[in-house]
């Protein structure tokens, strides 16, 4: 007896396999934004020191179906310098991812420059699902902001920028 596969069945199988292998990376793609876009989108841009994390039991983001909520980890941070937005002593923002492509991250002790959008369920979020976050590190007497930004590195590699230069860029774009 001879084994026979219908050509149409073979084509359907091949297309299904291609979709399984190719579609997930394409569907998970999240375009990186330029620094200028982060500045424009953000309501608040601040140099902050994360002091603590806490859980909010009923967080809801715009990607969730109506009425659905989930627990979320929120960072409380002391504002060291406000570069854009209304002055505040502290800010609350999402400290952990709320969906697959979210890169939000903050831990107690972190010094960050954060680009924050309007509150989502009473909690601000880092712009473009966590991209608008730059770690601040000391190198001798200098401070550097480390993050990813498309305008500097199209491949999404980390960018190192002196903190005063980042501040000047933000100030120059917020005056426009």
């Amino acid at each position: 007896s001879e084994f026979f596969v219908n050509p149409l069945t073979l084509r359907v199988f091949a297309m299904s396999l291609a979709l399984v292998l190719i579609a997930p990376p394409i569907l998970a793609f999240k375009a990186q934004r330029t620094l200028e876009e982060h500045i424009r989108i953000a309501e608040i841009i601040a140099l902050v020191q994360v002091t603590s994390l806490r859980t909010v039991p009923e967080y809801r983001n715009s990607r969730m179906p109506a009425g659905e909520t989930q627990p979320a980890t929120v960072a409380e941070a002391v504002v060291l310098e406000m570069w854009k937005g209304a002055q505040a002593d502290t800010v609350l923002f999402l400290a952990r991812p709320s969906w697959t492509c979210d890169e939000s991250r903050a831990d107690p002790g972190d010094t960050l420059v954060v680009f924050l959008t309007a509150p989502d369920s009473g909690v601000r979020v880092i712009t473009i699902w966590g991209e608008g976050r730059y770690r601040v590190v000391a190198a001798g007497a200098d401070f550097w902001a480390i993050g990813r930004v498309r305008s500097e590195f199209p491949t999404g590699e980390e960018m190192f920028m002196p903190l005063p230069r980042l501040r000047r860029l933000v100030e120059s774009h917020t005056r426009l």
Side-chain angles (χ1 to χ4, degrees), residues 102-172:
D102 189 350
E103 300 174 23
S104 298
R105 183 80 191 180
D107 292 300
D110 285 353
T111 302
L112 306 168
V113 174
V114 288
F115 294 66
L116 303 173
T117 61
D120 214 356
S121 294
V123 175
R124 292 192 177 278
V125 293
I126 300 170
T127 57
I128 318 298
W129 303 105
E131 280 184 19
R133 175 185 69 91
Y134 297 84
R135 291 178 292 124
V136 176
V137 296
D142 299 322
F143 290 91
W144 293 77
I146 303 170
R148 290 186 297 153
V149 63
R150 188 184 77 210
S151 62
E152 300 271 337
F153 296 102
T155 60
E157 294 178 14
E158 286 195 327
M159 162 200 78
F160 296 83
M161 181 182 293
L163 192 59
R165 179 174 173 222
L166 180 58
R167 182 186 306 119
R168 284 191 305 274
L169 281 170
V170 168
E171 289 171 351
S172 70

Side-chain angles (χ1 to χ4, degrees), residues 85-104:
Q87 280 295 16
D89 294 329
T90 61
V91 290
L92 298 176
F93 59 93
L94 198 61
R96 297 289 183 268
S98 63
W99 69 291
T100 306
C101 292
D102 189 350
E103 300 174 23
S104 298

